[in-house]
Amino acid sequence: MDIKDKKQLRKKGKRLGLTLQTFKISLAAGIAWGLATLFTPNLYPYIAPLTAVLIVNTTLAKSATKALNRLLGVLGGVGASLIVMHWFQPSSLAIFLSILLGMSFTTACRLHQDAVSQVGVTTVMVLAFAHSDNYEWGRIIETIIGAGVAIAITVFPFSGLVALLKKMFGPKKMEYDDCNKAT
């Protein structure tokens, strides 16, 4: 496939909203859900694909940074929630104290703002699902799974995908410019 064919394929895909980044994010979310169902007891492991969607990026450095910030925030939120739940049942006071404790701690440790805000989200979720057995540990495991999949998808070389699509559909089957001339 020459450069001109690659540019045409990219242009046609963009018209349909199909970009490599969209494909990678979708693939990461699907894989993360599948893996999380194997390694956690949750029937609907929504945290793993959500984590993957939020972390897949254009470079390894960006994905790894996002993954680390999210994981640190989840750990901080779980920790703060467990400390506060030792003395308080889930309530507005428990939410306030957990978020205050967790966000203060992560801010004092000079963590990135993404980690600090993740503490708040995790704290609310852990307290909301406090009645579920081991929700907090499932959240940590799902975060690790989603982050791992996102990083793997980010660094996976997708250059062969374009060649595969070209082989599958061929240049004539991929031509649809006639349908777009009216627009």
Side-chain angles (χ1 to χ4, degrees):
M1 171 179 292
D2 64 10
I3 293 173
K4 183 180 176 186
D5 289 339
K6 285 182 182 180
K7 285 182 181 178
Q8 273 188 323
L9 182 60
R10 192 173 296 130
K11 185 177 177 181
K12 290 175 184 182
K14 281 185 179 181
R15 281 189 211 152
L16 298 172
L18 301 173
T19 65
L20 181 57
Q21 193 67 7
T22 303
F23 176 80
K24 290 166 76 171
I25 291 169
S26 304
L27 181 63
I31 291 171
W33 179 289
L35 287 175
T37 59
L38 296 174
F39 296 107
T40 67
N42 302 331
L43 294 175
Y44 302 105
Y46 64 94
I47 297 299
L50 177 63
T51 299
V53 166
L54 294 173
I55 291 176
V56 169
N57 216 299
T58 54
T59 67
L60 173 60
K62 289 178 183 177
S63 288
T65 300
K66 282 184 161 189
L68 180 62
N69 288 331
R70 184 162 175 88
L71 182 58
L72 291 173
V74 167
L75 292 171
V78 166
S81 298
L82 291 177
I83 289 168
V84 170
M85 285 189 334
H86 186 70
W87 290 283
F88 298 94
Q89 292 295 316
S91 63
S92 57
L93 179 61
I95 293 282
F96 168 74
L97 292 173
S98 296
I99 292 173
L100 181 66
L101 176 67
M103 291 180 91
S104 296
F105 178 75
T106 53
T107 300
C109 290
R110 301 183 191 274
L111 295 183
H112 191 274
Q113 184 57 40
D114 290 346
V116 175
S117 62
Q118 183 61 52
V119 168
V121 172
T122 299
T123 298
V124 171
M125 298 302 290
V126 168
L127 289 167
F129 291 102
H131 63 280
S132 302
D133 289 336
N134 298 317
Y135 171 81
E136 61 278 2
W137 304 113
R139 186 169 175 94
I140 292 169
I141 293 167
E142 285 188 44
T143 299
I144 292 168
I145 290 170
V149 169
I151 290 170
I153 292 294
T154 297
V155 299
F156 186 82
F158 281 91
S159 57
L161 180 63
V162 174
L164 176 65
L165 290 172
K166 185 78 167 180
K167 284 181 186 177
M168 287 173 53
F169 298 109
K172 295 192 191 259
K173 292 180 184 175
M174 294 182 75
E175 294 296 328
Y176 61 89
D177 284 338
D178 294 336
C179 299
N180 292 324
K181 284 184 179 173
T183 57

